[in-house]
Amino acid sequence: MTRSVTPRQGKAAAGRANRPAPARAHGHHRGPLVAVAVAALGVVFGDIGTSPLYALKTVFLLDGGAVRANESDVFGVISLMFWSITIVVSIKYLGILMRADNDGEGGVMALAALAQRLYAKRAGKAGILLVIGIVGVSLFYGDSIITPAISVLSAVEGLHVTIPAISHLVIPIAAVILVGLFVVQRFGTGKVGVLFGPIMVLWFVVLAVAGLGMVIQYPSVLLGLSPSYAVVFIIAHPSISFIALGAVVLVITGAEALYADMGHFGRSPIRRAWFFLVFPALTINYLGQAALILHHPAAKANPFFLLIPDWGRLPVVILATAATVIASQAVISGAFSLSRQAVQLGLLPPLTVRQTSKREGGQIYMPAINALLFVGVMAVMLSFGSSDRLSTAYGISVTGALVVDTLLLVLVARPLWGWGPWKMAAAAIVFGGLELAFLAGNLSKIVNGGWVPLLIAAAVILVMTTWRRGRLLVKEDRQVKEGSLAEFIEDVRKKNLPRVPGIAIFPHPNKDSTPLALRANVEHNHVLHENVIIVSVSTAQVPHVPRMEAFSYDELGYTDDGIEHLTIRFGFSDEPDIPRALRAACYAGVLPLHARDFKDASYFISRGAIRTTRTTKMVRWRRSLFIALAHNAADPAARFGLPALRTVTMGSDVEI
């Protein structure tokens, strides 16, 4: 017989489920601060740390060399770079945006979810925030495709300087490295991850040492750190500076990673790593490259590698390649995490997720995303053929993501921190104005390759909006076929159906309608299990939900019919494992059963074919796209961790 909790217990459990999750301590890693900061170097700073390979070179190669290798232009560009890094990275991300965490997690998806939660009572604004979040995610995918291609290419192109005789092998070598990078994703990064931090420490030390020699030799280059040179450069050469902004933005590529990976390492380790090592190393290296160009104008063809003595160039090429692989790994892992969050929030169809670490929940592998990224990376690398040409496509995705983050920052600042209108306006003008200038400078390069990230973003937006709209239409049709759960229970009680031993679990979105599998089981088999549990899975707008706040139990009106409902709340970074959650509900005293009772439980999935109709609610080609996405979605049994041998799929067709 089914044991039941008292109504008072049920209300208490429901109350616990409806309370907001408490803020967790920032950062999941434990250990000495220095060790965590070193670990952060291997993940957080890979992208921005490899920008010296191509950023300054790109500025002086733009528009046939519009930016000259003279003192005013060189100092103006260096000033723009230094203050862009200072304002966007040091002040905006590390100083302000890291305070806008969603239960300790960062990134555009977490920030959009936080904004939605803050504006939950204003439906119209919440919808706008969702659209903004989708745009930000879409731009991140463009970054995820271009970053591995431009990073690895720029490192291997050091062979042009080191061993000119094999310059023709740059593309094949880069292709082999990228193939290997995507092949090893299935094995996870845990085993090699311990090497990432030390390698990046060595990389930043090399950056600083390489630039320091030129700075000591030509100390006047330090004048370029004055903001006055940037102002003079812009006023004296407005058209040239506008063009230069399209490349200057490359120095802050990867800035969002500082915020997105906050949940893995915490604020303090990231900030310390930035201010004590990364920021000084980048500044010194850019100053060294500027001094080299100023006194040896021909060096603008590849100032980074020409800073290195002949004897050290080949080792630095190898180290640079390792650093760019790490940078690429970081952005690929970020794409996996972001995709899982998008699935949890209903913006993408269910996708297969494989855990690659028994200890770290964030280390996952998504075969479909990995394959799509690989195809995209190889396509853009082979199409553009060099980091110089690819850099024209890079800036739009980066600047677009920066603008989205600033927009969300301004929106959450008032309800989160109580900012007044003047403070919000100042942030919008300083951060948004600079980033919009960057975006405008990059929009001028659309015809030369800037269309690539826009095309990628448009494709992702189309997929996300189509999936979301299609799910709503399917839900409407299913609700009609499912009928009221309360009426179904009353009908079952009147029929007095035979009950068979065991537990039957029916995953279902809500407790208002009847699971199609449950209705089909009664109509065709004319029996019910002794215990029937309807399980609804919802995704909270926080990364993780504590156990005691993850469940809401409902007896559905009767204590003696064995038909119950359980709502399980997962965070958008949690793995939605239903069997494990059911056992946890038993241990927590929410579900009136013992955990061992679920050893032989049966799971029934409501799933039927999706058929098209002549409805005008969605155009035909979008319906076809939705059906294709649904057919290629991951098996719900695998998605929810259901045991294959005890899972049955039943139901009826649905129409859109």
Side-chain angles (χ1 to χ4, degrees):
M1 296 293 294
T2 302
R3 293 185 294 109
S4 62
V5 297
T6 65
R8 182 177 180 180
Q9 290 173 317
K11 291 179 180 178
R16 288 194 301 269
N18 293 327
R19 288 201 304 266
R24 298 181 296 111
H26 294 288
H28 307 312
H29 288 256
R30 298 180 183 270
L33 188 59
V34 173
V36 179
V38 171
L41 283 170
V43 176
V44 177
F45 301 102
D47 196 356
I48 197 170
T50 53
S51 296
L53 287 166
Y54 49 80
L56 197 60
K57 175 180 70 171
T58 302
V59 173
F60 286 94
L61 294 180
L62 279 175
D63 201 26
V67 181
R68 306 290 183 180
N70 55 44
E71 185 175 288
S72 62
D73 285 15
V74 171
F75 284 4
V77 168
I78 284 298
S79 182
L80 281 172
M81 287 183 163
F82 175 76
W83 288 102
S84 295
I85 296 174
T86 300
I87 293 172
V88 175
V89 182
S90 299
I91 299 177
K92 172 188 165 182
Y93 278 99
L94 279 84
I96 299 176
L97 203 52
M98 273 193 172
R99 295 165 51 212
D101 65 283
N102 189 353
D103 194 28
E105 298 286 340
V108 64
M109 184 65 74
L111 185 59
L114 172 63
Q116 281 188 284
R117 193 170 67 195
L118 293 172
Y119 289 95
K121 296 181 179 180
R122 301 170 66 176
K125 183 162 286 190
I128 295 174
L129 292 169
L130 178 63
V131 173
I132 295 173
I134 290 175
V135 172
V137 171
S138 304
L139 291 168
F140 182 86
Y141 280 111
D143 192 13
S144 301
I145 288 176
I146 298 176
T147 291
I150 190 172
S151 298
V152 173
L153 260 180
S154 61
V156 179
E157 284 173 351
L159 294 174
H160 288 312
V161 178
T162 308
I163 313 176
I166 62 172
S167 296
H168 61 285
L169 296 178
V170 167
I171 294 294
I173 292 173
V176 169
I177 292 171
L178 288 170
V179 168
L181 174 64
F182 282 96
V183 167
V184 301
Q185 292 302 313
R186 68 184 63 192
F187 303 111
T189 60
K191 294 182 180 179
V192 297
V194 293
L195 299 175
F196 286 2
I199 289 175
M200 292 307 293
V201 169
L202 177 60
W203 171 250
F204 287 115
V205 170
V206 169
L207 287 183
V209 171
L212 189 59
M214 290 300 297
V215 173
I216 293 174
Q217 189 175 354
Y218 304 105
S220 61
V221 75
L222 292 170
L223 295 172
L225 299 181
S226 170
S228 62
Y229 283 97
V231 175
V232 170
F233 179 64
I234 293 173
I235 294 175
H237 311 288
S239 59
I240 295 176
S241 60
F242 181 75
I243 295 172
L245 283 175
V248 169
V249 71
L250 297 177
V251 302
I252 53 176
T253 57
E256 191 185 4
L258 311 180
Y259 175 51
D261 287 308
M262 180 177 61
H264 296 290
F265 300 101
R267 296 174 186 165
S268 185
I270 292 176
R271 284 174 174 166
R272 289 179 182 240
W274 171 257
F275 287 109
F276 285 106
L277 179 60
V278 180
F279 190 21
L282 291 174
T283 301
I284 293 171
N285 190 267
Y286 284 126
L287 287 171
Q289 290 188 47
L292 180 65
I293 292 173
L294 190 59
H295 293 87
H296 304 282
K300 66 182 182 181
N302 204 324
F304 176 81
F305 285 105
L306 290 173
L307 270 180
I308 312 297
D310 292 344
W311 57 267
R313 284 175 186 163
L314 184 57
V316 171
V317 168
I318 297 172
L319 178 61
T321 303
T324 55
V325 168
I326 292 172
S328 302
Q329 175 61 60
V331 76
I332 293 170
S333 299
F336 292 160
S337 298
L338 198 64
S339 299
R340 181 168 69 173
Q341 293 177 15
V343 169
Q344 297 285 70
L345 294 173
L347 299 176
L348 285 177
L351 300 170
T352 300
V353 179
R354 297 176 187 169
Q355 235 20 76
T356 60
S357 171
K358 295 181 179 180
R359 294 182 299 176
E360 295 291 340
Q363 292 186 15
I364 59 173
Y365 168 65
M366 303 182 72
I369 299 299
N370 192 63
L372 289 172
L373 287 179
F374 172 71
V375 172
V377 169
M378 295 301 292
V380 298
M381 187 189 71
L382 296 176
S383 298
F384 286 86
S386 71
S387 61
D388 297 338
R389 296 180 60 194
L390 194 53
S391 65
T392 61
Y394 198 19
I396 291 180
S397 59
V398 174
T399 53
L402 294 176
V403 171
V404 168
D405 280 347
T406 296
L407 181 57
L408 290 173
L409 168 63
V410 173
L411 288 172
V412 303
R414 187 176 185 85
L416 194 61
W417 303 314
W419 280 18
W422 287 107
K423 202 169 185 179
M424 294 170 62
I429 293 171
V430 174
F431 302 136
L434 178 61
E435 291 160 358
L436 286 173
F438 283 143
L439 181 59
N442 278 277
L443 289 176
S444 64
K445 300 183 296 185
I446 287 181
V447 295
N448 295 321
W451 56 270
V452 172
L454 294 179
L455 179 63
I456 295 170
V460 174
I461 291 172
L462 175 63
V463 168
M464 288 186 171
T465 54
T466 299
W467 179 255
R468 181 175 173 81
R469 177 59 178 161
R471 283 179 68 246
L472 292 175
L473 294 178
V474 167
K475 181 180 179 180
E476 292 174 0
D477 184 73
R478 285 186 59 158
Q479 286 178 337
V480 173
K481 290 181 169 63
E482 289 164 351
S484 168
L485 178 59
E487 294 177 1
F488 175 82
I489 292 175
E490 294 294 339
D491 187 53
V492 167
R493 291 177 64 84
K494 292 177 182 178
K495 291 180 179 179
N496 196 24
L497 295 172
R499 308 297 288 261
V500 296
I503 300 175
I505 298 158
F506 296 84
H508 189 64
N510 57 71
K511 63 179 179 181
D512 299 319
S513 59
T514 310
L516 291 176
L518 177 58
R519 187 177 290 278
N521 188 42
V522 169
E523 291 178 355
H524 296 287
N525 298 325
H526 307 292
V527 296
L528 272 179
H529 283 74
E530 185 179 13
N531 300 103
V532 175
I533 304 175
I534 300 170
V535 176
S536 297
V537 172
S538 67
T539 302
Q541 292 182 345
V542 293
H544 308 282
V545 177
R547 176 188 291 183
M548 294 304 296
E549 301 182 8
F551 308 107
S552 179
Y553 172 75
D554 192 337
E555 295 171 335
L556 298 176
Y558 299 95
T559 61
D560 60 347
D561 62 0
I563 304 177
E564 302 153 317
H565 181 272
L566 181 71
T567 298
I568 305 174
R569 296 172 69 240
F570 292 103
F572 57 70
S573 291
D574 290 329
E575 183 180 359
D577 189 316
I578 288 181
R580 185 167 60 191
L582 288 170
R583 294 192 295 270
C586 294
Y587 291 131
V590 176
L591 197 62
L593 290 167
H594 197 283
R596 64 172 175 266
D597 296 336
F598 289 91
K599 181 179 179 181
D600 299 315
S602 299
Y603 297 82
F604 295 85
I605 296 176
S606 303
R607 195 179 190 186
I610 301 176
R611 301 188 182 279
T612 59
T613 64
R614 295 184 178 275
T615 178
T616 58
K617 296 180 179 180
M618 182 181 282
V619 295
R620 180 176 298 178
W621 65 268
R622 292 194 75 182
R623 290 204 302 267
S624 300
L625 174 59
F626 174 77
I627 292 173
L629 292 171
H631 286 169
N632 288 280
D635 182 3
R639 181 190 175 203
F640 292 121
L642 308 184
L645 297 179
R646 290 185 281 118
T647 301
V648 179
T649 301
M650 303 178 68
S652 59
D653 295 348
V654 293
E655 299 176 344
I656 62 171

